[in-house]
Amino acid sequence: MGAVKKAFVVGGGIGGLTVAHALQRIGVSTRVIEMGDRHDRIGTGITLLGNALRALAELGLVDACLEGGHGWDIVSVRDGAGTVLSEQSSPRIWDPNRPAALGIMRPRLGQVLEDFATKSGAKIDFNTTVTQIDQDDDGVTVHLSNGETDRADLLIAADGAYSKIRQKIFGEEFKPHYAGQGVWRYTVSRTQSMNGFVLYRLPTGRMVGSLPLSKELCYLFFLESTDEKLRVPQDQVCDYLRNLLTPFTAPELVAAAEMVGVDKHISYRPFDVLMMPAPWHCGRVVLLGDAAHSLTPQMTSGGGMAIEDALVLSQELDRNDDLETALVSYCRRREERARRVYDIAYAICREERKPEHGRDYSMGLLREGYAFLAAPV
């Protein structure tokens, strides 16, 4: 029977749209409230590892996601000239006949998830915000910026690391902090040599990574450590990125540097991190995705953890007739797992900022993290 008949989801990103689809599948009428416009989706790409693909498969979403992106298996470490130093295949933890991981453009993934959510019956309100939340023993009422008032059994806050819902319900003391690192991302044409997760490493320790997004595209990423958040004037971004790529002589990176221009998508994002302590719910409001756990990307698992959250929350709401029991079970299954991934990713970030161990230390942490993610949710 389930504990919830109707739910609000605040935030129309990866976690919000996935949980909307998941809830509709179990018979929960779902309304997504998204402050942005449908046509405003931007960004380079995202990588979804096997644990995320496994969750998407359980929700009937994986085939469409794979069709919209590019599956890959290879993990390759190369020097700055492109010579392969080591190469291995990632384990296919979710299906031995399907790719180990997926790269996909964020706007494309967003569209796939939106299409499935709406086909499942979810309603999505774009350009809308929640102005007030009132909850009692029987439900939660939201007042919206468009003048509407609506009521449901549950409100799911999937509105990101700087969640306004989290702030309203849990207080301002829970907020992200800067991890001392950020990432440049640059979408470029993909060459045949960019056949998976490729890491180019200089003797100085500087690295550029490449991840495929489609047959034609990939994105380059470059991590930068700074004590304060980096701010580069917009008219200097292209020169700045060229300078980052200049020490690398691999032909594909030389070509990428030559293509840097204002018509190419370049982004920089500082890592603002948060790990909410349990419980993740208060009354009839529950946190999901970055609103509960905003990670550094060393484990490439931010989006994947939000997808897992969506699956587990829908499972617990489906199998429990009591809402409090369902939310406690959701948090029990998710908080420890998310914290472990958060801790491993943050440890790698700290090591990259101020190395205290040998080169193999971070790779050991990464292998530990991947093995942990491969375990059942």
Side-chain angles (χ1 to χ4, degrees):
M1 293 174 60
V4 171
K5 302 302 180 187
K6 180 178 178 179
F8 300 125
V9 177
V10 181
I14 293 171
L17 292 173
T18 303
V19 78
H21 169 71
L23 292 180
Q24 288 288 155
R25 280 165 56 95
I26 63 171
V28 177
S29 176
T30 306
R31 182 176 185 179
V32 180
I33 302 161
E34 165 56 39
M35 66 181 298
D37 189 271
R38 171 183 280 110
H39 305 294
D40 286 347
R41 292 193 182 107
I42 59 174
T44 49
I46 183 170
T47 297
L48 300 176
L49 301 178
N51 65 300
L53 298 181
R54 178 175 57 198
L56 289 171
E58 290 195 46
L59 293 169
L61 296 168
V62 74
D63 288 338
C65 291
L66 286 169
E67 289 172 8
H70 185 81
W72 57 267
D73 296 282
I74 299 298
V75 177
S76 180
V77 178
R78 305 175 187 180
D79 64 18
T83 302
V84 175
L85 304 176
S86 66
E87 195 162 271
Q88 62 186 28
S89 294
S90 296
R92 296 181 168 186
I93 68 169
W94 69 285
D95 186 331
N97 300 311
R98 311 293 290 278
L102 168 71
I104 186 170
M105 291 293 291
R106 283 180 178 270
R108 176 61 178 154
L109 177 60
Q111 191 60 58
V112 169
L113 296 177
E114 180 190 336
D115 289 346
F116 271 83
T118 54
K119 287 176 183 176
S120 298
K123 178 184 178 183
I124 304 177
D125 293 273
F126 291 95
N127 303 301
T128 306
T129 59
V130 174
T131 59
Q132 183 177 328
I133 300 170
D134 301 310
Q135 55 175 323
D136 52 48
D137 291 342
D138 299 318
V140 56
T141 299
V142 295
H143 303 262
L144 304 177
S145 57
N146 61 11
E148 285 188 63
T149 300
D150 200 359
R151 187 167 173 83
D153 303 302
L154 176 68
L155 186 150
I156 301 167
D159 52 340
Y162 282 93
S163 168
K164 289 184 169 55
I165 303 301
R166 185 187 64 233
Q167 180 181 348
K168 288 177 184 289
I169 301 300
F170 291 87
E172 295 189 8
E173 65 268 31
F174 300 109
K175 61 180 62 175
H177 68 275
Y178 176 55
Q181 200 175 55
V183 62
W184 289 94
R185 291 189 177 96
Y186 169 40
T187 305
V188 297
S189 298
R190 188 171 76 88
T191 67
Q192 189 173 4
S193 64
M194 295 168 163
N195 57 346
F197 177 19
V198 180
L199 195 61
Y200 302 86
R201 177 180 286 160
L202 297 176
T204 61
R206 284 206 160 199
M207 295 179 291
V208 169
S210 169
L211 284 160
L213 300 172
S214 68
K215 291 181 180 179
E216 299 81 20
L217 297 174
C218 71
Y219 75 85
L220 302 180
F221 66 89
F222 189 102
L223 300 176
E224 280 210 274
S225 299
T226 56
D227 291 335
E228 302 293 334
K229 290 184 181 181
L230 184 66
R231 290 177 173 82
V232 178
Q234 190 58 41
D235 62 353
Q236 299 176 26
V237 164
C238 290
D239 287 339
Y240 192 92
L241 189 60
R242 287 191 199 96
N243 288 336
L244 292 179
L245 291 170
T246 294
F248 297 87
T249 58
E252 58 270 31
L253 297 184
V254 171
E258 292 173 349
M259 288 189 291
V260 171
V262 293
D263 60 327
K264 304 292 184 183
H265 187 84
I266 301 169
S267 69
Y268 172 79
R269 182 175 73 86
F271 301 156
D272 293 335
V273 298
L274 166 80
M275 185 65 226
M276 273 291 289
W280 289 355
H281 70 285
C282 180
R284 291 176 175 269
V285 177
V286 63
L287 305 178
L288 183 145
D290 282 357
H293 44 75
S294 177
L295 318 175
T296 63
Q298 277 80 2
M299 289 293 299
T300 56
S301 292
M305 297 304 283
I307 291 167
E308 284 189 355
D309 285 355
L311 173 63
V312 171
L313 180 57
S314 67
Q315 289 173 340
E316 294 301 332
L317 291 174
D318 190 36
R319 66 174 54 132
N320 290 288
D321 291 333
D322 177 72
L323 178 60
E324 178 69 15
T325 300
L327 297 182
V328 168
S329 296
Y330 159 71
C331 187
R332 175 183 52 79
R333 290 178 62 188
R334 295 305 301 153
E335 195 264 350
E336 182 179 353
R337 182 170 170 88
R339 184 175 296 279
R340 179 78 177 277
V341 177
Y342 173 94
D343 287 343
I344 292 172
Y346 206 176
I348 298 172
C349 175
R350 287 195 299 266
E351 179 67 16
E352 289 171 345
R353 288 190 66 221
K354 297 179 180 179
E356 297 180 359
H357 306 84
R359 178 174 290 180
D360 292 339
Y361 175 76
S362 292
M363 293 304 297
L365 286 173
L366 200 60
R367 285 191 292 269
E368 175 188 342
Y370 286 160
F372 178 74
L373 285 173
V377 176

